[in-house]
């Protein structure tokens, strides 16, 4: 009887240990900003994306022993201004499953392209909100479906990944087919990276991106350059940005430029200030302006209807907002 009780106790402890090796986390961001924008006319409204896109997600990891882990990550955009969710793809931001170990990580599903992760990283506004550099990326490829990605293991500062996306049967023109890769080196205060991708089947879009940053104590300087080519069409986008930590606050500055055809010439200027009220909550303010040349009509994020610029005109805006993470 004692042996049976002891065996049951050992089994219970073993099961409890196995369960402790698995974890699931709910996470999210609620970010709302009162925004005023001006183009051909002006408009005021509440935005769901000031510093970050509002979102809800779940992620988990299972430790299977021997250095092998499995994980998943699903994430959806939410719109707290009216309580709606993103549609038609609910898990539009990311939906992946992974195997991880000493070999690195193999990830399958919907995720960001290698070129876009570089551009996000070296934009001081993270290509988010009103002044994100993506406002000048007319030929961009952001998230990709049906993707297999391989990430290098930790290699003394070297990092990188390669990805292949299938067009699948419902995409008969294979416009979703892609191959892309990224390689970088990060050590102490410096981080530099390069990425390249080909997107589509015929008339492929080819994107080359370079970026880097360097931290001088509380001051960080960053920059990037991207070149887009698709047939006879080309676009070049560059950015120089910085942020300065000031106690519980941070000053941000960004200067971007796009050049190409007559309808793709513009410059971007943006300034922001973030102030942390706690580890999870901050308030912020932003001013941004896009100046178009020729017949270009680039606009700040959120500009629509009356706030869109006329050809060769400007798109300006300012906002104050609150972001809470959980």
């Amino acid at each position: 009887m004692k042996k049976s009780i002891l065996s049951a106790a050992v089994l219970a402890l073993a099961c409890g240990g196995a369960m402790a090796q698995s974890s699931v986390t709910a996470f999210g961001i609620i970010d709302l900003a009162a925004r005023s924008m001006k183009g051909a006319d002006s408009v005021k409204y509440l935005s769901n994306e000031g510093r970050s896109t509002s979102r809800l997600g779940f992620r988990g990891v299972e430790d299977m022993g021997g250095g092998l882990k499995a994980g998943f990550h699903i994430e959806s955009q939410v719109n707290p201004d009216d309580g709606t969710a993103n549609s038609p793809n609910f898990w539009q931001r990311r939906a992946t499953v992974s195997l991880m170990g000493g070999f690195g990580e193999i990830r399958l599903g919907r995720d960001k392209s290698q070129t876009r992760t570089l551009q996000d990283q070296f934009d001081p506004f993270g290509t988010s909100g009103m002044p994100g550099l993506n406002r000048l990326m007319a030929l961009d490829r952001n998230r990709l479906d049906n993707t297999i990605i391989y990430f290098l293991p930790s290699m003394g500062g070297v990092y990188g990944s390669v990805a292949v996306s299938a067009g699948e049967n419902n995409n008969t023109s294979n416009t979703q087919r892609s191959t892309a890769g990224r390689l970088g080196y990060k050590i102490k205060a410096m981080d530099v990276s390069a990425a390249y991708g080909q997107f589509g089947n015929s008339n492929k879009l080819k994107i080359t991106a370079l970026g880097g940053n360097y931290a001088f104590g509380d001051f960080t300087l960053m920059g990037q350059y991207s070149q887009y080519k698709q047939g006879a069409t080309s676009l070049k986008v560059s950015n120089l940005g910085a942020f300065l930590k000031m106690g519980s606050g941070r000053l941000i500055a960004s200067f971007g430029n796009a050049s190409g055809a007559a309808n793709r010439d513009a410059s971007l200027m943006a300034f922001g200030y973030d102030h942390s009220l706690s580890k999870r909550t901050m308030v912020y303010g932003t001013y941004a302006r896009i100046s178009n040349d020729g017949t270009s009509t680039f606009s700040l994020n959120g500009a629509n209807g009356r706030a869109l610029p006329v050809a060769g005109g400007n798109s300006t805006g300012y906002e104050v907002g609150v972001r809470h993470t959980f």
Side-chain angles (χ1 to χ4, degrees), residues 1 13 18 25 35 45 64 79-80 89 118 123 137 172 209 234 272 307:
M1 180 67 176
L13 286 172
T25 302
R35 181 177 295 175
Y45 69 103
M64 298 182 287
N79 305 314
N89 300 331
L118 183 150
D123 175 3
M137 298 175 184
T172 55
S234 65

Side-chain angles (χ1 to χ4, degrees), residues 118-173:
L118 183 150
Q119 294 159 338
D120 289 353
Q121 182 179 348
F122 299 116
D123 175 3
F125 287 98
T127 68
S128 289
M130 186 172 61
L133 187 63
N134 57 313
R135 304 312 303 168
L136 302 180
M137 298 175 184
L139 299 174
D140 189 35
R141 289 294 183 273
N142 188 0
R143 292 178 172 84
L144 303 173
D145 296 333
N146 314 309
T147 304
I148 301 173
I149 312 172
Y150 169 69
F151 292 87
L152 292 174
S154 178
M155 298 174 62
V158 176
Y159 62 90
S161 60
V162 291
V164 178
S165 299
E168 291 206 349
N169 293 333
N170 64 345
N171 185 231
T172 55
S173 60

Side-chain angles (χ1 to χ4, degrees), residues 216-280:
F216 303 87
D218 291 335
F219 177 75
T220 299
L221 182 67
M222 62 184 63
Q224 61 176 286
Y225 171 83
S226 297
Q227 180 173 284
Y228 303 78
K229 289 186 176 180
Q230 188 171 34
T233 303
S234 65
L235 175 68
K236 298 176 181 178
V237 178
S238 58
N239 176 247
L240 181 65
F243 58 81
L244 175 65
K245 295 180 182 178
M246 302 171 59
S248 297
R250 186 176 75 156
L251 287 171
I252 311 170
S254 178
F255 303 91
N257 183 76
S259 61
N263 63 341
R264 291 198 173 111
D265 289 330
S267 60
L268 166 67
M269 175 181 68
F271 300 96
Y273 176 71
D274 300 343
H275 186 83
S276 296
L277 301 176
S278 69
K279 188 176 181 180
R280 296 179 179 274

Side-chain angles (χ1 to χ4, degrees), residues 57-113:
F58 301 89
R59 56 177 174 252
V61 176
E62 179 189 14
D63 189 339
M64 298 182 287
L68 183 64
K69 297 180 180 180
F72 76 94
H73 185 125
I74 52 177
E75 187 175 325
S76 174
Q77 178 179 329
V78 295
N79 305 314
D81 65 328
D82 60 9
T84 60
N86 193 61
S87 61
N89 300 331
F90 186 75
W91 302 114
Q92 179 267 349
R93 292 186 55 82
R94 179 174 163 183
T96 61
V97 64
S98 301
L99 286 176
M100 299 161 281
F103 55 85
E105 178 184 354
I106 300 173
R107 184 181 299 175
L108 293 81
R110 176 179 172 83
D111 205 352
K112 283 206 170 191
S113 69

Side-chain angles (χ1 to χ4, degrees), residues 29-31 248 274-284 321-326:
I29 298 174
I30 300 297
D31 189 331
S248 297
D274 300 343
H275 186 83
S276 296
L277 301 176
S278 69
K279 188 176 181 180
R280 296 179 179 274
T281 304
M282 78 173 189
V283 293
Y284 58 86
V322 181
R323 186 185 74 174
H324 178 76
T325 63
F326 61 90

Side-chain angles (χ1 to χ4, degrees), residues 189-213:
M190 182 187 71
D191 191 347
V192 292
S193 186
Y196 177 78
Q198 293 190 4
F199 306 89
N201 188 25
S202 59
N203 194 29
K204 293 181 179 179
L205 171 62
K206 301 177 182 179
I207 303 176
T208 303
L210 306 170
N213 63 27

